[in-house]
Amino acid sequence: GGQLEASTYGTGNAGNININANSITFSGAINQRTSGVLSNVENGANGTGGIIDIRADSLSLTDGGQIQTIVRDASDTTSGGNGNAGKVIIDIRGSFDVSGVNGYSSAVLTYVGSGAKGNGGDIDLKTRSLSLTDGGNITASTYGQGDAGNVTVEIAETATFT
């Protein structure tokens, strides 16, 4: 899938990603690559995840599209990432739709993976309408050492969860 990425794979911090647009869509996943925006601390890396700041009239994450700031899990051969996940800021003037699974759930994610060390980032979301359907989710969690981030959602009109 198509990606905008500013992650760290070594020693140092991940970069920030700022997007301002009318309409944004991230859809699909191919060969274990989800379409989306990533600012991660990858496995074996030491640093801090960046800030993802998205402002638009509409935003759609479908069929595995994701926005993620994570501290990556350990693997059989590499230690988990070490550092804090970044923050996700989403300000949508119209509709924000998160829907579907294509090997990956469509999602906004911030977490600390298994075998990783650090704190999860916060998710701050403002939108006129929010739709989380067919496996779409917004998640801040920890599976490793550290605290999960906070999720703050401000919806001006309607929310749909199915």
Side-chain angles (χ1 to χ4, degrees):
Q3 295 181 340
L4 297 173
E5 182 177 13
S7 298
T8 180
Y9 289 81
T11 300
N13 296 329
N16 298 328
I17 299 174
N18 299 297
I19 303 172
N20 292 294
N22 290 329
S23 177
I24 302 168
T25 300
F26 291 101
S27 182
I30 279 187
N31 297 326
Q32 299 183 348
R33 288 179 54 97
T34 180
S35 295
V37 184
L38 299 77
S39 184
N40 299 332
V41 179
E42 295 296 335
N43 56 10
N46 290 292
T48 299
I51 297 169
I52 296 175
D53 188 338
I54 299 175
R55 296 169 192 274
D57 290 330
S58 66
L59 175 59
S60 180
L61 304 175
T62 61
D63 297 326
Q66 295 186 350
I67 297 168
Q68 56 176 246
T69 61
I70 64 177
V71 182
R72 186 74 66 188
D73 310 45
S75 70
D76 290 340
T77 59
T78 307
S79 63
N82 185 26
N84 295 327
K87 182 174 187 171
V88 177
I89 302 165
I90 299 173
D91 189 348
I92 307 302
R93 294 173 288 280
S95 63
F96 180 27
D97 300 311
V98 184
S99 177
V101 176
N102 182 5
Y104 298 92
S105 293
S106 298
V108 178
L109 302 170
T110 176
Y111 69 82
V112 177
S114 177
K117 296 178 185 175
N119 294 318
D122 293 336
I123 299 171
D124 292 336
L125 169 62
K126 291 181 184 177
T127 186
R128 182 179 51 81
S129 68
L130 174 64
S131 177
L132 296 177
T133 60
D134 298 326
N137 66 84
I138 298 172
T139 303
S141 56
T142 184
Y143 304 94
Q145 290 182 325
D147 297 327
N150 299 305
V151 178
T152 304
V153 179
E154 193 174 313
I155 303 165
E157 292 182 15
T158 60
T160 303
F161 304 94
T162 60

